[in-house]
Amino acid sequence: MQIDSLNWKILKCLQSNARQSNAEIGRQVGITSPAVSERIKKMEDAGIIEGFRTAVSYFEAGYQLKAIITIRAFMGKLKPFLEKVKTFDEVLNCYRITGNENIVMVVILKNQKHLEQFIDQLIVYGETKTQIVLNEVVRDGAVIPIKS
């Protein structure tokens, strides 16, 4: 499915506030509410829109630390880790990457002790490096049209 300029406008509206009504989006982009609904449905069906989520403040939810942890997996430990990581409640995102490290994860933790306990679970799979997030400069940036 091609994303035309009208669909990009709809996506921009949804990315800024997914809770706004189709009528409000329609007013912003210049089409009717049913037309907005139809376009959104087509983009969902095509896999362009993957879902709608609620952003939760980890800090306000009681977590004191957000960290980025990279792992350089030991020989034979990458595949077992890729299964195990799915069971960790602390992991917000996990990516298999190129380079010296195999994995990068974004995690939230209650405190420093929780971080220590979490790393203890990881070190059986590989060498870890941890960076504590001080603040988010850009969070969930919008996907915009590709410039030709």
Side-chain angles (χ1 to χ4, degrees):
M1 173 182 181
Q2 292 263 340
I3 306 175
D4 64 18
S5 63
L6 198 50
N7 281 349
W8 277 115
K9 289 177 184 175
I10 292 169
L11 288 171
K12 182 178 179 182
C13 291
L14 289 172
Q15 288 179 99
S16 69
N17 178 5
R19 292 191 67 177
Q20 60 189 310
S21 69
N22 290 344
E24 177 57 33
I25 294 170
R27 280 191 286 281
Q28 292 177 50
V29 302
I31 61 175
T32 66
S33 175
V36 169
S37 180
E38 181 180 332
R39 283 175 173 267
I40 290 172
K41 175 77 171 107
K42 285 181 180 177
M43 288 189 282
E44 287 174 325
D45 292 345
I48 294 166
I49 296 175
E50 296 179 334
F52 300 90
R53 295 169 185 83
T54 300
V56 176
S57 166
Y58 69 91
F59 187 77
E60 295 300 328
Y63 293 91
Q64 297 299 307
L65 297 175
K66 187 174 198 176
I68 298 168
I69 301 175
T70 58
I71 298 178
R72 182 177 184 171
F74 296 140
M75 186 69 80
K77 293 290 188 170
L78 180 60
K79 287 192 180 197
F81 177 78
L82 294 175
E83 289 305 312
K84 181 65 175 173
V85 71
K86 297 172 188 173
T87 69
F88 292 133
D89 293 334
E90 295 87 350
V91 177
L92 297 179
N93 293 296
C94 179
Y95 307 97
R96 187 172 175 189
I97 59 170
T98 61
N100 288 332
E101 284 82 23
N102 308 92
I103 300 292
V104 64
M105 298 180 293
V106 179
V107 300
I108 54 173
L109 305 136
K110 291 178 271 191
N111 52 39
Q112 187 173 341
K113 181 75 171 167
H114 186 189
L115 172 61
E116 180 183 1
Q117 293 166 345
F118 185 67
I119 290 173
D120 287 346
Q121 294 178 75
L122 300 177
I123 59 176
V124 298
Y125 295 98
E127 179 184 321
T128 66
K129 291 182 186 174
T130 303
Q131 296 89 31
I132 302 298
V133 174
L134 298 177
N135 66 39
E136 295 175 336
V137 179
V138 176
R139 180 179 182 187
D140 299 326
V143 176
I144 61 170
I146 298 171
K147 295 179 175 129
S148 355

